[in-house]
Amino acid sequence: HTTFLNLVQDAPFGVYLIDADFKLRCFSRGASKVFAKIDPLIGRDLEEILREVWQEPFASEAVQRFKHTMQTGESYESPETTEKRANTDETESYHWQLEQVVMPDGRYGVVCYFYETTQLK
């Protein structure tokens, strides 16, 4: 568990982990930009976080994608996603993927992998 946690936290690309209670458990330094200006983070409900970061309808769509992956185990890989943020004036582009994972307590969570493609566009 400690090795996995260290791998996530030190990753230069975006990674974050949501537990079975839909709470943010850890995130990588590469995910820090997307979560900028949001405090607290760890232990906070992901739905609240996503609604603070992204405008509608994308915030609701993202919440539903996470919940679907957690409930069914079905992975999700996004097409190129370009959205305006709700908490800044920026428009950002990402490629992101969701995978169901087994948490240390035996319940399911979701890991999100992403990288920003804004500058590539």
Side-chain angles (χ1 to χ4, degrees):
H1 175 72
T2 302
T3 300
F4 175 74
L5 183 61
N6 288 335
L7 285 170
V8 169
Q9 290 176 335
D10 293 338
F13 51 89
V15 180
Y16 56 98
L17 182 64
I18 307 307
D19 68 14
D21 297 320
F22 218 59
K23 307 283 187 207
L24 181 68
R25 285 295 153 213
C26 65
F27 63 96
S28 67
R29 71 181 155 84
S32 296
K33 181 184 176 198
V34 78
F35 294 130
K37 300 183 181 185
I38 299 175
D39 189 41
L41 269 174
I42 300 299
R44 189 166 171 197
D45 186 84
L46 180 66
E47 184 167 352
E48 291 176 11
I49 294 169
L50 292 177
R51 292 185 187 288
E52 192 171 325
V53 173
W54 302 110
Q55 293 185 357
E56 291 296 342
F58 180 68
S60 292
E61 292 169 13
V63 167
Q64 290 309 311
R65 295 273 183 211
F66 273 88
K67 287 182 176 182
H68 180 79
T69 295
M70 186 177 293
Q71 293 167 357
T72 68
E74 187 176 311
S75 300
Y76 175 75
E77 187 170 346
S78 76
E80 187 70 29
T81 301
T82 300
E83 296 292 332
K84 181 146 177 60
R85 291 182 60 118
N87 64 342
T88 69
D89 289 333
E90 297 177 46
T91 298
E92 297 173 349
S93 298
Y94 291 92
H95 181 86
W96 53 290
Q97 181 175 338
L98 304 176
E99 299 288 339
Q100 185 188 69
V101 294
V102 178
M103 301 296 290
D105 64 3
R107 299 189 307 161
Y108 292 114
V110 174
V111 64
C112 177
Y113 306 99
F114 69 92
Y115 59 92
E116 187 177 1
T117 60
T118 306
Q119 291 186 6
L120 294 174
K121 290 189 102 169

